[in-house]
Amino acid sequence: MRRVNHLATLSRAISGAAAHQRLVQGAAMMSTYAASNSQCIASRIAENFRISNPSVARGVTGTVFFSVAASSLAQEVQAKESPPVEKLMPKDVVLYQYEACPFCNKVKAFLDYYNIPYKVVEVNPISKKEIKWSDYKKVPILKVDGEQMVDSSDIVDKLFQRMHPDNSVPDSDEETKWRGWVDNHLVHVLSPNIYRSVSEALESFDYITTHGNFSFTERLVAKYAGATAMYFVSKKLKKRHNITDERAALYGAAETWVDALRGRQYLGGSKPNLADLAVFGVLRPIRYLKSGKDMVEHTHIGEWYSRMENAVGEPCRVKA
C-alpha cells in the first residue's frame, strides 16, 4: 500500500464512484452499530455477548461517523490494500451479524480493507431465526462461497490464508500478541464504559434499537429495560475484570496501544496489519459515543484512528 500525495494519483489508486465522491466531499465514513438484548431477554445476554458467566454480559455498542476536509485527504489518505489476484478472491460473501458486536466489526474491518464485497444479514438477537440453519448459534458467521466460517479470529485467518496461499503464517509474534490482547483485554473495558451511567446506557440503546433487527415491541422494551439491565450488568463486569475506574481503564488501553506502535504509522509499519484491523474494528462501534469521544480527547490514539479510517476506507457492504 503506498502513500498518496496528489489528487490525481489518489483518484487512480482508489477506484470507483466512491473514490470520486470522497475527493469532492472529503473522506466520509459511517459505521453503524445495533442489536443487543433487553431485560426481558436477560437469559440470552450471556450467549449473545459471549460471556462465560451468565450474570455478566459483554456488549459493545456505538455509532461511528467521521469526516475530514478534502485538502487533508490529499495529504493523509492511505490507499486500501490491493486485493490479490481475482481467482483467489471470495466471490459470494454473506455476514450474519449484530452491528454492535465487536467481533463482527473485526471481520468487517478486514473485508472493507481488502475490498471484499459482502452482504449483511442482521440477526434478531431474540429469535435468531436468521441463523436457524446453522448449528453455530453465535455471531459472526461468515458464509464464503457456500462455506461456513465462525469465530472472528479464525474467519480472518482463513480469509487471509485463502487470499495469500504462499504465506501460511499471516502474522508475526508481535502481531499475534496484540491480536490476542484485543480479544482478551481491550473488549473487556468497553462495556463498563458505554454503560457506565444511565445516560450513557440510554445513549447506546437508543442507537441499538434504531438500527437493530427488532420488532416494534422489542424495540420499546429493549431501549429502556435493556439499558437498565446493561447498566447493572456492566457493574458486575467491571468487578469481574478488576476495573476500579472505567475511563482510566479505557484510556490506559488506548495508551498501551499507542505505545505499542513505537512511533510507527501502524503496528504493521507503513500499512495496517491484522492487529491494526482488530483494534480498529472493536473500537469503531464506540468511537462517537461519549466514551469514544472522551477516549480520543484524553489519549493519543486519535491520529492512529484517523489514519485507520482513511486506510480502511468506505464499507464494501452491498445490498442483499
Side-chain angles (χ1 to χ4, degrees):
M1 181 181 63
R2 62 181 183 277
R3 190 174 185 83
V4 181
N5 295 315
H6 302 288
L7 290 174
T9 305
L10 177 62
S11 62
R12 292 194 298 269
I14 306 175
S15 60
H20 177 71
Q21 182 179 2
R22 288 166 64 196
L23 288 172
V24 174
Q25 298 178 347
M29 176 196 148
M30 177 174 291
S31 295
T32 60
Y33 70 95
S36 184
N37 287 318
S38 62
Q39 182 72 44
C40 67
I41 55 169
S43 62
R44 296 180 181 265
I45 290 178
E47 179 183 359
N48 288 343
F49 291 100
R50 302 186 174 191
I51 303 302
S52 57
N53 185 336
S55 68
V56 179
R58 184 168 97 194
V60 176
T61 60
T63 183
V64 175
F65 180 81
F66 178 82
S67 62
V68 293
S71 59
S72 175
L73 175 68
Q75 297 174 1
E76 298 187 10
V77 159
Q78 303 288 331
K80 284 189 179 185
E81 180 76 8
S82 298
V85 293
E86 186 173 349
K87 68 179 182 180
L88 301 177
M89 290 288 287
K91 301 296 189 297
D92 183 22
V93 180
V94 182
L95 176 65
Y96 295 81
Q97 66 153 28
Y98 305 143
E99 279 283 352
C101 172
F103 303 105
C104 298
N105 276 279
K106 279 173 55 183
V107 174
K108 287 194 290 187
F110 180 92
L111 296 172
D112 292 338
Y113 179 65
Y114 280 98
N115 289 298
I116 301 173
Y118 58 94
K119 300 173 184 141
V120 167
V121 175
E122 188 68 23
V123 176
N124 183 297
I126 301 174
S127 67
K128 296 188 177 180
K129 62 183 180 180
E130 294 80 7
I131 55 174
K132 285 192 174 182
W133 55 270
S134 175
D135 292 333
Y136 189 79
K137 299 305 179 184
K138 299 178 182 180
V139 293
I141 298 175
L142 193 71
K143 287 184 71 174
V144 180
D145 299 331
E147 176 188 355
Q148 175 180 290
M149 298 181 183
V150 299
D151 185 272
S152 61
S153 293
D154 286 346
I155 290 171
V156 168
D157 286 342
K158 287 179 180 178
L159 286 175
F160 187 94
Q161 291 169 9
R162 172 173 175 163
M163 295 161 56
H164 305 84
D166 296 331
N167 186 355
S168 60
V169 182
D171 46 9
S172 64
D173 289 343
E174 181 186 44
E175 194 172 359
T176 300
K177 169 188 172 181
W178 288 104
R179 289 179 70 192
W181 175 81
V182 171
D183 293 341
N184 299 321
H185 178 72
L186 181 59
V187 294
H188 294 302
V189 306
L190 300 181
S191 289
N193 276 276
I194 62 177
Y195 302 120
R196 182 179 64 154
S197 65
V198 173
S199 62
E200 288 183 83
L202 285 171
E203 176 193 35
S204 298
F205 270 85
D206 182 63
Y207 196 91
I208 287 172
T209 55
T210 302
H211 294 80
N213 188 1
F214 293 92
S215 69
F216 177 75
T217 301
E218 291 167 346
R219 187 175 300 122
L220 291 178
V221 172
K223 179 174 180 179
Y224 296 100
T228 301
M230 289 307 297
Y231 169 76
F232 289 107
V233 164
S234 70
K235 305 310 175 187
K236 295 180 181 180
L237 183 59
K238 175 182 173 181
K239 183 177 180 180
R240 181 186 181 193
H241 293 288
N242 298 314
I243 297 173
T244 56
D245 184 307
E246 301 95 329
R247 284 297 195 266
L250 179 62
Y251 300 162
E255 293 293 3
T256 295
W257 174 248
V258 173
D259 289 344
L261 299 176
R262 291 180 291 154
R264 295 169 289 183
Q265 287 187 316
Y266 308 101
L267 193 77
S270 61
K271 63 181 180 180
N273 63 17
L274 298 183
D276 288 291
L277 293 172
V279 175
F280 176 74
V282 302
L283 290 180
R284 187 156 61 170
I286 77 159
R287 169 60 182 91
Y288 289 94
L289 290 178
K290 177 172 173 47
S291 55
K293 292 176 181 177
D294 287 349
M295 176 186 68
V296 170
E297 180 181 353
H298 295 285
T299 73
H300 298 89
I301 202 170
E303 291 185 5
W304 170 85
Y305 190 91
S306 295
R307 286 195 296 269
M308 285 299 301
E309 280 190 312
N310 290 333
V312 172
E314 300 290 342
C316 290
R317 176 174 177 170
V318 297
K319 291 185 178 180

